[in-house]
Amino acid sequence: TKIKVEYFMPELINDKESQGKLGYSYLCNDITKDPYENFCLYILSGLFFDGPTTPFYKNIIESGLAPAYSPGAGYDMTTKEAIFGIGVSNINPTKENIEEIEKAIIATLNQVVKEGIPEDKFEAQLHKLEIQVKKTRDHWGLGVISNMINYTVHGGDPLWVFNINEHLERIR
């Protein structure tokens, strides 16, 4: 593990022991190829990170290893090749602490592979998405256009965002 500790404008930092960030980024898929794969990875991201009952929350945040996820944690489809990030912020950047967090991240991934995700949590995540999609809210059109831009810019089908019900049926 390569650990690099630097401080930008150190004279402005009050608490250097809580300024560290640790992250892993995994290059995933070309977002223009298979919208269903994007959908599945988005759901997986929610199952990993959304809420206090998720594996990463329990094993990393609730356990006290880190107080928060880092920006970019989860599935990011803003570039042509999506990224899945797993990371924490506001940690003490000592070698020992970073190694402990790395072990917990790997152990959590192994736990999910071994035990899977409980069906009720999976259904709850799908239901949450259904509600988000169907709920009328301010600036709904702007949100839809925002989700379409990445596909349009990279040559994909921007209308895939309207196929959520089809993807929900398929994943079930």
Side-chain angles (χ1 to χ4, degrees):
T1 300
K2 179 182 176 187
I3 299 171
K4 182 178 182 182
V5 177
E6 305 184 330
Y7 297 101
F8 176 72
M9 300 178 73
E11 65 278 359
L12 299 177
I13 297 175
N14 287 336
D15 184 14
K16 291 181 183 179
E17 285 77 37
S18 67
Q19 296 294 313
K21 290 181 177 40
L22 170 67
Y24 291 98
S25 294
Y26 300 94
L27 191 60
C28 292
N29 59 319
D30 179 335
I31 65 167
T32 64
K33 301 282 186 213
D34 185 0
Y36 179 70
E37 185 175 13
N38 300 331
F39 174 79
C40 290
L41 287 166
Y42 177 79
I43 295 297
L44 181 65
S45 177
L47 291 167
F48 275 7
F49 302 110
D50 290 353
T53 61
T54 59
F56 279 94
Y57 188 90
K58 285 181 176 180
N59 295 347
I60 308 294
I61 308 297
E62 193 175 273
S63 73
L65 288 174
Y69 298 125
S70 64
Y75 185 60
D76 180 4
M77 300 183 284
T78 57
T79 56
K80 184 172 174 142
E81 291 186 343
I83 296 168
F84 199 98
I86 300 172
V88 294
S89 62
N90 304 330
I91 62 168
N92 187 341
T94 63
K95 183 177 194 270
E96 296 79 23
N97 194 41
I98 288 172
E99 288 174 348
E100 185 177 1
I101 294 168
E102 285 178 327
K103 286 178 188 173
I105 289 172
I106 291 166
T108 302
L109 288 170
N110 287 331
Q111 172 190 342
V112 171
V113 168
K114 182 180 176 189
E115 298 173 11
I117 300 289
E119 189 172 337
D120 62 323
K121 305 262 189 253
F122 181 75
E123 279 298 324
Q125 189 68 26
L126 296 182
H127 185 66
K128 178 181 162 187
L129 180 62
E130 286 174 316
I131 290 171
Q132 287 173 347
V133 168
K134 294 175 183 173
K135 181 180 172 189
T136 304
R137 57 191 175 278
D138 292 342
H139 309 294
W140 178 84
L142 190 58
V144 171
I145 290 171
S146 175
N147 286 328
M148 296 168 84
I149 288 173
N150 299 329
Y151 299 96
T152 305
V153 168
H154 299 299
D157 177 11
L159 299 179
W160 89 271
V161 298
F162 296 109
N163 295 337
I164 296 298
N165 288 335
E166 184 180 304
H167 296 316
L168 284 165
E169 285 176 29
R170 184 175 172 192
I171 202 168
R172 284 190 166 120

